[in-house]
Amino acid sequence: MVRDPFADEDQPDLQDVLDALDDPKCRAIVRNLDEPMTAEEISEVCDVPLSTTYRKLDLLTEASLLREGMEIRPDGQHASQYEVDFEEVVVGLDDDRAFEVGISRVPRTADERLRDLWSEVRKET
């Protein structure tokens, strides 16, 4: 699922966030992701099989807890990189006593927004 990097951040589905945070391997990925990494690097650092790593990255990205970007390489063999995309996750009740989720994010610089836009363009081509 391609996200518009300039769109207003919609809050993700509560169940997607809870499922991702309930998963021990997803939590290990978030704990170890202190800088942007490729899936291969994450797999190695977290000692998780690569196929499992891709499934967990999809789960975390769908929950809006990770952001997928592109590592531009001079040889043209670009690779997806993942980084943590939240500061805080809050689960609360709305006025109708239904559960809701809120995610606080660090504001992105103009360079980061441009990088995200370029990454989305690369995915589409």
Side-chain angles (χ1 to χ4, degrees), residues 48-66:
V48 175
L50 188 57
S51 59
T52 302
T53 300
Y54 279 113
R55 285 194 306 274
K56 302 308 177 183
L57 291 172
D58 285 344
L59 188 61
L60 288 162
T61 302
E62 185 66 28
S64 299
L65 299 175
L66 293 186

Side-chain angles (χ1 to χ4, degrees), residues 61-108:
T61 302
E62 185 66 28
S64 299
L65 299 175
L66 293 186
R67 179 173 59 230
E68 181 179 359
M70 187 68 61
E71 177 185 28
I72 307 299
R73 298 178 178 167
D75 65 1
Q77 299 296 318
H78 309 312
S80 291
Q81 283 189 320
Y82 299 87
E83 59 187 307
V84 174
D85 194 26
F86 70 96
E87 285 187 316
E88 180 180 59
V89 175
V90 177
V91 176
L93 294 172
D94 65 14
D95 293 338
D96 297 324
R97 308 281 302 160
F99 285 99
E100 63 182 0
V101 64
I103 296 182
S104 300
R105 302 185 194 286
V106 177
R108 295 184 188 139

